[in-house]
Amino acid sequence: AQSVTQLGSHVSVSEGALVLLRCNYSSSVPPYLFWYVQYPNQGLQLLLKYTTGATLVKGINGFEAEFKKSETSFHLTKPSAHMSDAAEYFCAVRIPNSGGSNYKLTFGKGTLLTVNP
Amino acid sequence: KAGVTQTPRYLIKTRGQQVTLSCSPISGHRSVSWYQQTPGQGLQFLFEYFSETQRNKGNFPGRFSGRQFSNSRSEMNVSTLELGDSALYLCASSLDFQETQYFGPGTRLLVL
């Protein structure tokens, strides 16, 4: 079964600083990987996804993530944090071309990002 | 296109009651999945429907059930509510089960 580990339940950065949110996954086959963001009292919004092809994927709001198979990682970065980036971020994995229980998205526990002025 | 909509957005129930939550997927999407989000357990998969059939189910008791209608709208039902059922219930839709899931705003259920 697949699993996701997000290192750091809470990350705090200053406005303008680099944002780095860490995600490591466990999967028996190359997975599809996703980052979602959740603002207070809202649902999940897709930031970016990796399925196949280029390992560096760009998403909305200036975020990007790089799939590193050798490190089983999919860390999320943004060069310069903005106050509006404050939210909770979830990394998720899904096994492609699968059915049964592997169909589902398996989420990490989430990382709360705080941006200080 | 309109996004995934969920109704109601907030709900307060008492133990032992039952509740029905509704989800309307993005137009053209045929797969609907449900997730439960709690502070303790995080995001957990409940079940997934495609063409009115439940294809996958998570590890939840039988009190949790759902269905999908011919227009792809879905409902989930929780019977005999327990305090631990208090959570944000999220619905996600996708074109098919292989495609990216897009989430609705959720229904926040409080069980007293």
Side-chain angles (χ1 to χ4, degrees), chain A residues 32 34 36 38 41-46 49 51 88 90 94-109, chain B residues 9-10 31 33 35 37 40-43 45 48 55-57 88 90 94 96-106 108:
Chain A
Y32 288 174
F34 305 82
Y36 286 89
Q38 186 176 36
N41 299 314
Q42 295 188 27
L44 301 177
Q45 180 182 7
L46 179 68
K49 63 180 179 180
T51 54
E88 190 155 22
F90 292 91
R94 182 166 67 80
I95 304 302
N97 303 318
S98 63
S101 62
N102 284 332
Y103 158 78
K104 63 181 180 181
L105 281 170
T106 298
F107 288 90
K109 292 293 188 183
Chain B
R9 291 293 310 278
Y10 303 92
S31 174
S33 298
Y35 293 83
Q37 184 179 24
Q41 299 299 317
L43 282 149
F45 172 74
E48 183 257 344
R55 293 193 302 190
N56 300 285
K57 191 176 192 303
L88 180 67
L90 293 164
S94 58
D96 194 351
F97 75 99
Q98 296 289 355
E99 303 297 326
T100 301
Q101 295 179 29
Y102 295 90
F103 285 79
R108 187 166 295 280

Side-chain angles (χ1 to χ4, degrees), chain B residues 17-107:
Chain B
Q17 287 187 308
Q18 76 165 14
V19 67
T20 299
L21 312 181
S22 180
C23 171
S24 292
I26 293 171
S27 178
H29 285 194
R30 299 166 65 191
S31 174
V32 173
S33 298
W34 289 88
Y35 293 83
Q36 182 196 64
Q37 184 179 24
T38 61
Q41 299 299 317
L43 282 149
Q44 294 186 286
F45 172 74
L46 279 158
F47 28 64
E48 183 257 344
Y49 288 86
F50 180 82
S51 292
E52 302 179 64
T53 301
Q54 183 184 91
R55 293 193 302 190
N56 300 285
K57 191 176 192 303
N59 189 26
F60 278 82
R63 300 185 296 108
F64 291 82
S65 63
R67 58 178 176 169
Q68 186 181 34
F69 302 94
S70 58
N71 62 358
S72 295
R73 190 177 69 86
S74 176
E75 289 181 346
M76 69 163 280
N77 183 277
V78 187
S79 62
T80 319
L81 284 166
E82 301 177 359
L83 295 180
D85 297 332
S86 294
L88 180 67
Y89 290 88
L90 293 164
C91 168
S93 77
S94 58
L95 282 169
D96 194 351
F97 75 99
Q98 296 289 355
E99 303 297 326
T100 301
Q101 295 179 29
Y102 295 90
F103 285 79
T107 293

Side-chain angles (χ1 to χ4, degrees), chain A residues 7-30:
Chain A
L7 293 173
S9 59
H10 188 192
V11 170
S12 182
V13 300
S14 298
E15 193 173 18
L18 171 72
V19 175
L20 171 60
L21 305 182
R22 299 177 187 273
C23 171
N24 288 88
Y25 68 90
S26 173
S27 172
S28 57
V29 299

Side-chain angles (χ1 to χ4, degrees), chain A residues 11-102:
Chain A
V11 170
S12 182
V13 300
S14 298
E15 193 173 18
L18 171 72
V19 175
L20 171 60
L21 305 182
R22 299 177 187 273
C23 171
N24 288 88
Y25 68 90
S26 173
S27 172
S28 57
V29 299
Y32 288 174
L33 295 157
F34 305 82
W35 276 100
Y36 286 89
V37 61
Q38 186 176 36
Y39 297 99
N41 299 314
Q42 295 188 27
L44 301 177
Q45 180 182 7
L46 179 68
L47 272 179
L48 49 78
K49 63 180 179 180
Y50 169 79
T51 54
T52 58
T55 56
L56 180 64
V57 292
K58 295 185 184 299
I60 61 172
N61 302 337
F63 284 94
E64 62 182 37
E66 186 171 10
F67 169 59
K68 292 188 177 181
K69 185 179 177 181
S70 61
E71 299 176 9
T72 61
S73 69
F74 191 57
H75 301 330
L76 181 71
T77 61
K78 181 174 181 178
S80 176
H82 192 274
M83 296 294 288
S84 61
D85 295 327
E88 190 155 22
Y89 292 79
F90 292 91
C91 181
V93 62
R94 182 166 67 80
I95 304 302
N97 303 318
S98 63
S101 62
N102 284 332

